[in-house]
Amino acid sequence: MTDLENFRREARAWLETNCPPEMRRPVASEADSCWGGRRFRFQSEAQRLWMVRMGERGWTVPTWPKEYGGAGLGKAQAQVLRQEMRALGCRSPLDSFGIWMLGPALLQYGSEAQKREHLPKIARGEIRWCQGYSEPNAGSDLASLQTRAELHGDHFVVNGQKIWTSYADQADWIFCLVRTDFGAKKHTGISFLLFDMESPGVSTRPILLISGKSPFCETFFDNVKVPAENLVGELNGGWTIAKYLLTHEREMIGGIGERATARPLGRFAADAMGLDEDGRLADGGLRSDIARFEIDELAFRCLMERTGDRARRGEGDPAFSSALKYYGAELNKRRYELMMSAAGSDGLEWEGERSRDGALARTWLRTKANSIEGGTSEVQLNIIAKRLLGLPGA
Ligand SMILES: Cc1cc2nc3c(=O)[nH]c(=O)nc-3n(C[C@H](O)[C@H](O)[C@H](O)COP(=O)(O)OP(=O)(O)OC[C@H]3O[C@@H](n4cnc5c(N)ncnc54)[C@H](O)[C@@H]3O)c2cc1C
């Protein structure tokens, strides 16, 4: 038996023993996600156990080095682990901006002390992070941000406002872009800071959405003192880190189109609409739309795998994350349009136990934001046109 086959056998046995049955049921809504952190209220003991067990094994971040809370797995082993988790229907043990965004940036740009301090807590789900990038006048044009940080000896003093800060009211720490040089060109006066959301002077105000929920906030900083050692990378060198982090954010959002955590679409539609006497979906039009979607989804999954392989060989182009983000967001929006078509008027139920408090309708509305968050589709198309296709700018 090869090492990889051994690893597969061991991984499967470990997952079968350690993944609680409840954590093998399909995710029905965002509420089923485990975010960890100091304030997180677990939905069940099974959810807590699953996060803790995977965190202790380093499998929440399988490819991170062991000294930073990972399992030090190689690419092939990590792929086997993903395959085995998918085969058993295991849920993600931990969803986290720390894992998807900050972790990769710290691995690349953080000091040794920052890596040792923050990465293991991310891996074990102990600290939940939020992202302080966008401001009222700096979204697509992010480099125009005006939140200021002034260095006073051993600490910065931060003043300003962020907006659309997802889960700021539930996060423990924030990774934040601040302006530290006011005379410099806009891209060169930005720094990347980390600080505790419980620091005096930090406050948040939730923003209510069409879905009836408030997944994000306005975040205010009023003379917040941040230790100078919480600066990541060079002073005024934050833009490079910000961009690097964005490529990971975009790949993560693109992955929404690929991560089939919900039931396969065909099965969902069959349950909702029933089958004809030949055992096929009764609605021929929807049947072909779903078939087309499933083919596109499969092709996208292959593209994600290929992109991952190329990146690991050092051949990836960071701008390709824009293509993945663009297409993955469109795919996810299409998935939920099709689910709504299959569910018919039942899909519009907004409250009550039968619909799990309108989980489908609310998630469908939420998907509309996929083509805005992490940079809008128009901005991704601009990047694809300029950087990947080499077309001239306007
Ligand atoms: C669900 C969700 C979660 C988010 N979470 C976070 C978070 O946690 N932290 C955070 O910092 N931010 C977050 N954001 C903010 C997000 O990054 C911004 O909304 C996004 O970058 C767009 O910025 P904006 O809203 O200011 O729109 P604008 O930049 O004002 O854009 C308005 C419109 O103009 C278009 N446009 C702008 N510039 C161009 C151009 N050059 N060419 C063509 N069209 C253009 C845009 O495509 C858009 O349609 C989140 C947003 C959403 C929807």
Side-chain angles (χ1 to χ4, degrees):
M1 230 183 225
T2 66
D3 285 352
L4 207 54
E5 281 163 351
N6 269 329
F7 176 77
R8 184 183 293 282
R9 211 164 35 89
E10 282 165 25
R12 185 179 306 163
W14 189 90
L15 290 170
E16 270 167 359
T17 311
N18 288 284
C19 181
E22 284 164 84
M23 293 298 106
R24 300 184 202 181
R25 295 196 196 121
V27 169
S29 74
E30 266 196 62
D32 288 334
S33 294
C34 175
W35 290 95
R38 297 193 288 235
R39 307 175 216 194
F40 187 68
R41 302 242 297 273
F42 291 97
Q43 275 198 330
S44 63
E45 178 57 13
Q47 189 184 46
R48 192 192 66 81
L49 263 183
W50 181 223
M51 182 192 86
V52 169
R53 286 176 182 164
M54 287 290 274
E56 280 171 355
R57 205 170 170 83
W59 280 4
T60 51
V61 284
T63 57
W64 290 10
K66 285 189 178 163
E67 61 271 32
Y68 306 137
L73 298 190
K75 163 201 139 194
Q77 286 180 322
Q79 193 172 13
V80 164
L81 177 60
R82 272 200 307 278
Q83 287 165 352
E84 290 305 315
M85 286 179 69
R86 195 176 284 161
L88 268 184
C90 304
R91 289 184 182 176
S92 157
L94 179 61
D95 290 337
S96 146
F97 290 4
I99 294 177
W100 298 326
M101 300 187 226
L102 179 64
L106 278 186
L107 282 167
Q108 183 78 8
Y109 294 102
S111 66
E112 187 56 28
Q114 286 166 342
K115 289 180 198 172
R116 288 193 183 268
E117 170 63 22
H118 297 296
L119 294 177
K121 291 178 186 167
I122 291 173
R124 294 193 299 263
E126 290 169 6
I127 292 293
R128 181 172 181 177
W129 288 82
C130 63
Q131 177 188 32
Y133 272 35
S134 306
E135 297 184 3
N137 291 310
S140 300
D141 184 15
L142 182 61
S144 294
L145 62 96
Q146 292 299 321
T147 292
R148 37 194 313 139
E150 285 167 49
L151 191 55
H152 293 266
D154 64 352
H155 64 272
F156 291 94
V157 176
V158 181
N159 281 289
Q161 184 200 338
K162 296 289 171 182
I163 196 166
W164 316 125
T165 329
S166 296
Y167 310 115
D169 52 346
Q170 293 161 51
D172 305 309
W173 277 62
I174 186 167
F175 49 92
C176 194
L177 294 180
V178 292
R179 187 158 297 287
T180 38
D181 183 340
F182 302 91
K185 284 195 189 147
K186 63 181 182 180
H187 294 92
T188 50
I190 292 171
S191 297
F192 193 102
L193 282 187
L194 311 175
F195 51 95
D196 195 319
M197 291 292 279
E198 284 181 3
S199 311
V202 179
S203 58
T204 61
R205 194 159 63 199
I207 303 170
L208 192 64
L209 295 190
I210 189 175
S211 63
K213 307 222 162 143
S214 302
F216 44 32
C217 299
E218 292 176 283
T219 307
F220 302 93
F221 309 123
D222 181 12
N223 285 322
V224 181
K225 263 178 90 170
V226 177
E229 69 249 29
N230 290 8
L231 170 75
V232 181
E234 303 280 320
L235 187 69
N236 301 320
W239 187 245
T240 309
I241 306 172
K243 279 195 302 182
Y244 180 79
L245 185 143
L246 274 177
T247 63
H248 285 273
E249 178 178 12
R250 287 173 182 162
E251 275 176 29
M252 177 274 291
I253 296 171
I256 288 175
E258 180 260 356
R259 275 196 299 273
T261 44
R263 261 181 305 165
L265 203 45
R267 205 169 311 149
F268 175 90
D271 290 349
M273 308 178 74
L275 303 174
D276 64 15
E277 65 263 19
D278 298 323
R280 304 181 309 176
L281 261 191
D283 180 328
L286 193 60
R287 195 165 66 225
S288 62
D289 285 347
I290 290 179
R292 210 170 291 130
F293 173 85
E294 289 192 334
I295 292 167
D296 289 346
E297 189 188 40
L298 194 60
F300 187 61
R301 193 176 290 169
C302 296
L303 179 67
M304 293 286 280
E305 291 279 343
R306 197 185 69 167
T307 309
D309 283 349
R310 294 193 57 160
R312 279 181 285 267
R313 286 203 305 271
E315 295 168 7
D317 181 337
F320 201 73
S321 62
S322 290
L324 296 179
K325 200 266 161 174
Y326 175 79
Y327 195 71
E330 292 306 319
L331 210 52
N332 201 42
K333 290 200 304 190
R334 232 169 99 197
R335 178 203 307 278
Y336 278 90
E337 286 294 337
L338 289 168
M339 284 169 86
M340 288 300 281
S341 298
S345 53
D346 285 355
L348 293 169
E349 261 181 55
W350 197 245
E351 280 165 345
E353 216 170 294
R354 201 171 75 119
S355 67
R356 297 198 62 191
D357 270 340
L360 177 57
R362 290 173 199 267
T363 311
W364 167 63
L365 290 172
R366 172 67 182 80
T367 62
K368 305 292 174 200
N370 293 157
S371 41
I372 304 173
E373 60 199 310
T376 66
S377 282
E378 289 77 18
V379 167
Q380 304 319 308
L381 289 173
N382 283 346
I383 296 172
I384 293 166
K386 268 195 229 161
R387 305 258 187 82
L388 295 178
L389 302 177
L391 299 175

